[in-house]
Amino acid sequence: MGTAVPGVNRTILLLGGGAASLICAETLRQENFGGRIIMVSRDDLLPYDKTRLSKVMNVLSDTIVLRRMEFFHQYGIEVWLQKEAVSVDTEKKTVTFDNGLVQSYDQLLLSTGCRAKVLDVPGTNLSNIKMLETPEDARQIHAACLGSNVVLVGTSFVGTVAALCKMSLCFNTFS
C-alpha cells in the first residue's frame, strides 16, 4: 500500500466513518493514490464492526475497531471524529461542518450509512426503550437485560442475533 505523496494536491473526502469509507481509503492507497484522504465521522470511534454489536452486547469499543489509529497514520489517511457535515456545495466542491470548518475536495464519497427507524407508537420515549446503533447502545441494552424480560421489535438479522444473544445470556446467568 502507498501513502500520501508530497506535492500531490488532490483531496478525496469520505463522509461517513464506517466500513465503506474504510474500504474506499484502503483501496485508494492500494492503487497508489498519493493525494490527501480525509475520512469524517460524527461518531467518536474509528470504523468498527457493527455486526458484533448484536452478538457481544457488553462489548468494549476498542475490541471491535476494524483498524487501529496506527494504520491510518502509517498510510496517511486523516480521520476526523465527532464532526458532522451540515452542507455540501457540489458546485464549489466544499463541505461545511458543524464547527464552521469548510473543507474543499476533488472527489467526495457519501457513505453515511443508515439509522434504525424509530417506531411511531406511544411509549417509544420511555427510558427502557433502546435502539441498537452504537457500542454504548449495546452496553446499555446488555445492562438493562440482566435478570429482565425483553421484547425485541424487528425481524432483521440483527434482531434475530440479539434475541439469540439474550437467550444465551439468560441460560448462562441462570444455569
Side-chain angles (χ1 to χ4, degrees):
M1 283 182 47
T3 189
V5 176
V8 177
N9 296 323
R10 296 184 48 81
T11 298
I12 297 182
L13 187 59
L14 312 173
L15 293 184
S21 286
L22 174 61
I23 294 300
C24 179
E26 283 187 15
T27 302
L28 287 165
R29 288 298 186 231
Q30 287 169 354
E31 296 296 321
N32 293 313
F33 174 75
R36 188 176 182 196
I37 300 172
I38 306 169
M39 181 187 309
V40 184
S41 176
R42 72 177 182 182
D43 293 329
D44 60 355
L45 284 176
L46 294 171
Y48 60 91
D49 183 357
K50 290 189 177 199
T51 63
R52 293 221 21 235
L53 296 180
S54 62
K55 297 175 181 117
V56 184
M57 300 197 82
N58 60 345
V59 67
L60 298 174
S61 298
D62 64 339
T63 65
I64 61 171
V65 294
L66 297 170
R67 299 283 183 266
R68 304 250 177 249
M69 187 56 87
E70 295 79 24
F71 170 87
F72 296 99
H73 290 305
Q74 180 179 356
Y75 295 107
I77 301 166
E78 295 176 48
V79 180
W80 297 354
L81 299 176
Q82 296 181 307
K83 278 196 187 333
E84 187 170 355
V86 293
S87 67
V88 175
D89 186 328
T90 57
E91 289 183 19
K92 292 182 182 177
K93 290 191 168 187
T94 60
V95 174
T96 303
F97 294 94
D98 56 353
N99 64 353
L101 174 74
V102 177
Q103 176 62 52
S104 61
Y105 63 86
D106 293 292
Q107 291 180 298
L108 176 69
L109 173 70
L110 297 175
S111 59
T112 55
C114 64
R115 296 285 178 208
K117 183 179 178 186
V118 178
L119 288 176
D120 186 18
V121 296
T124 57
N125 60 343
L126 296 172
S127 64
N128 62 343
I129 305 296
K130 308 287 184 189
M131 302 286 286
L132 179 57
E133 295 181 332
T134 68
E136 180 58 28
D137 294 338
R139 287 188 291 272
Q140 288 178 11
I141 292 168
H142 174 77
C145 289
L146 294 174
S148 300
N149 292 322
V150 175
V151 175
L152 292 166
V153 177
T155 57
S156 68
F157 175 78
V158 171
T160 303
V161 172
L164 292 172
C165 179
K166 171 60 178 159
M167 286 176 19
S168 172
L169 178 67
C170 289
F171 291 128
N172 289 335
T173 303
F174 299 113
S175 58

